[in-house]
């Protein structure tokens, strides 16, 4: 394996980590309007419980996206440039949604007003649903290929990106992230909130299985290779097991298996893409590959040494954060403040 191939794997790992960790953040935000609705708990209290489950970790999870984007820019500048030339509008919408979500979470407690908090809550919902859908649409189009000309410019229109395969990818990421978030809520909450999260997860697992199954099967048949059938089996088997585990209220195992499903699916996308990084549907000669889109060997070499020293530090620190804030959160742990009250 040469340095370009190594950095393709590193970029894939960074996006796997992002979707795995940010996936349950998105899911929690997506479910904020409905979680605990039938429990009789005041809306503000149950929403604060939901926010506290991700409060200590959500911003750290987003670092994976920043790192993935930086690695993509440095290791594969042509891939980065072509991607943004053709996916500018959807990526801009994702960025705006993420900014709205960040501002809503951080500023929710700044004004002691119910109307203000409701607007912030809807900002969190918007900032969770939109990226959850559009990331699936974007990555499905990357695997499927777009119209790239000889100048490495994407000439497809925005509406060309809204093809059936990409829309199925967007529906898949939305459903799986919502399921992942519901299971995480059940794992991290107590009392009535936990019970309601378990019930939501059990209901979400039913549509998530056929939709995600159809997407990974389509990906495998159209773009996969022989060995990637293993990833299809892992993703499908994990989601099928989640259906039973959520009904048994085994949220720990259910969360482990939604994680397996996400890791397997994202790995399948990158494995189906290799050795291309952006296939061209106009002419295979115009496709960007690991070889023709990468930086110089010197640049990749320096990046490799930096990553070798820094990556373990970042992973250990984030793991320590999850360990410190591992306890469940109950309604009794929420104080009078309307903001995030991180409990350990």
């Amino acid at each position: 394996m040469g340095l370009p191939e190594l950095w393709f794997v590193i970029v894939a790992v960074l996006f796997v980590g992002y979707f795995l960790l940010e996936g349950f953040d998105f899911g929690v935000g997506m479910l904020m309007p409905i979680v605990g609705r039938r429990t009789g708990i005041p809306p503000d209290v149950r929403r604060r419980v939901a926010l506290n489950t991700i409060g200590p970790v959500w911003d750290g999870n987003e670092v994976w996206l920043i790192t993935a984007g930086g690695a993509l820019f440095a290791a594969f500048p042509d891939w980065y440039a072509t991607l943004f030339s053709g996916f500018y509008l959807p990526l801009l919408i994702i960025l705006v949604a993420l900014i709205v979500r960040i501002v809503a979470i951080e500023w929710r407690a700044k004004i002691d007003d119910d109307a203000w908090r409701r607007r912030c809550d809807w900002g969190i919902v918007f900032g969770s649903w939109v990226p959850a859908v559009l990331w699936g649409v974007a990555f499905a189009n990357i695997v499927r290929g777009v119209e790239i000309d000889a100048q490495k410019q994407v000439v497809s229109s925005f509406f060309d990106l809204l093809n059936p395969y990409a829309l199925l990818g967007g529906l898949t990421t939305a459903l799986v992230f919502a399921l992942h978030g519901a299971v995480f809520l059940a794992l991290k909450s107590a009392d009535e909130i936990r019970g309601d999260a378990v019930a939501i997860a059990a209901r979400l697992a039913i549509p998530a299985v056929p939709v995600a199954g159809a997407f990974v099967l389509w990906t495998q048949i159209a773009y996969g290779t022989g060995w990637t059938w293993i990833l299809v089996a892992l993703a499908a088997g994990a989601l099928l097991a989640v259906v039973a585990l959520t009904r048994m209220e085994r949220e720990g195992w259910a969360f482990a298996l939604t994680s397996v499903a996400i890791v397997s699916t994202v790995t399948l996308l990158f494995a189906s893409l290799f050795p291309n990084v952006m296939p061209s549907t106009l002419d295979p000669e115009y496709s960007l590959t690991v070889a023709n889109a990468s930086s110089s060997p010197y640049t990749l070499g320096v990046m490799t040494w930096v990553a070798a020293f820094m990556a373990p530090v970042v992973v250990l620190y984030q793991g320590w954060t999850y360990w410190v804030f591992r306890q469940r959160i109950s309604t009794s742990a929420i104080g009078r403040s309307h903001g995030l009250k991180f409990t350990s």
Side-chain angles (χ1 to χ4, degrees), residues 133 135-144 163-174 176 207-224 232 235 239 261-262 264-270 272:
V133 173
W135 277 126
V137 172
F139 269 85
N141 274 297
I142 291 172
V143 173
R144 174 181 176 269
N163 53 78
Y165 175 68
L167 293 175
L168 181 61
L171 183 59
T172 297
T173 50
V176 172
V209 170
V211 171
F215 178 68
V216 297
L217 190 60
W218 190 341
T219 302
Q220 173 60 34
I221 293 174
Y223 313 106
V232 174
L239 285 177
I262 291 173
S264 300
T265 301
V266 181
T267 304
L268 171 65
L269 292 175
F270 276 94
S272 301

Side-chain angles (χ1 to χ4, degrees), residues 140-160:
N141 274 297
I142 291 172
V143 173
R144 174 181 176 269
V146 290
E147 296 178 351
I148 302 175
D149 63 18
Q151 286 71 46
K152 301 180 181 180
Q153 295 292 318
V154 176
V155 296
S156 304
S157 70
F158 172 75
F159 294 101
D160 291 332

Side-chain angles (χ1 to χ4, degrees), residues 101-316:
R101 177 172 170 265
I102 292 168
V103 171
I105 292 175
E106 293 289 352
W107 289 7
R108 189 180 189 276
K110 300 303 182 182
I111 300 177
D112 188 8
D113 178 71
D114 289 339
W116 170 259
R117 285 189 288 274
R118 282 195 299 271
R119 286 193 289 270
C120 287
D121 291 341
W122 283 111
I124 295 169
V125 173
F126 169 80
S128 300
W129 271 99
V130 171
V133 173
L134 289 184
W135 277 126
V137 172
F139 269 85
N141 274 297
I142 291 172
V143 173
R144 174 181 176 269
V146 290
E147 296 178 351
I148 302 175
D149 63 18
Q151 286 71 46
K152 301 180 181 180
Q153 295 292 318
V154 176
V155 296
S156 304
S157 70
F158 172 75
F159 294 101
D160 291 332
L161 303 179
L162 304 180
N163 53 78
Y165 175 68
L167 293 175
L168 181 61
L171 183 59
T172 297
T173 50
L175 282 174
V176 172
F177 287 169
L179 173 60
H180 197 41
V183 174
F184 181 79
L185 266 175
L187 182 65
K188 284 288 294 175
S189 61
D191 307 328
E192 296 94 334
I193 301 295
R194 173 186 173 271
D196 199 49
V198 168
I200 292 171
R203 291 196 297 271
L204 281 171
I206 296 174
V209 170
V211 171
F215 178 68
V216 297
L217 190 60
W218 190 341
T219 302
Q220 173 60 34
I221 293 174
Y223 313 106
T225 60
W227 74 269
T228 52
W229 278 108
I230 299 172
L231 300 171
V232 174
L234 281 174
L239 285 177
L240 285 171
V242 169
V243 176
L245 289 168
T246 51
R247 295 183 180 278
M248 296 165 58
E249 300 188 8
R250 301 292 298 274
E251 59 266 28
W253 281 105
F255 183 75
L257 289 179
T258 55
S259 300
V260 169
I262 291 173
V263 170
S264 300
T265 301
V266 181
T267 304
L268 171 65
L269 292 175
F270 276 94
S272 301
L273 184 60
F274 186 83
N276 293 317
V277 293
M278 285 198 73
S280 173
T281 58
L282 292 178
D283 188 332
E285 293 296 322
Y286 301 157
S287 295
L288 299 183
T289 68
V290 170
N292 67 24
S294 64
S295 293
S296 67
Y298 177 79
T299 300
L300 296 179
V302 172
M303 291 173 59
T304 302
W305 281 108
V306 173
F309 282 103
M310 294 303 298
V313 176
V314 174
V315 171
L316 287 173

Side-chain angles (χ1 to χ4, degrees), residues 3-16 62-81 83-84 270 277 290 293-296 299-304 306-308 311:
L3 287 177
E5 290 78 13
L6 173 63
W7 274 95
F8 179 85
V9 172
I10 291 174
V11 169
V13 168
L14 290 170
F15 275 108
V16 167
E62 290 192 339
V63 171
W64 287 80
L65 176 61
I66 298 170
T67 308
L72 190 65
F73 173 76
F76 299 99
D78 286 346
W79 184 7
Y80 184 93
L83 177 65
F84 273 84
F270 276 94
V277 293
V290 170
S294 64
S295 293
S296 67
T299 300
L300 296 179
V302 172
M303 291 173 59
T304 302
V306 173

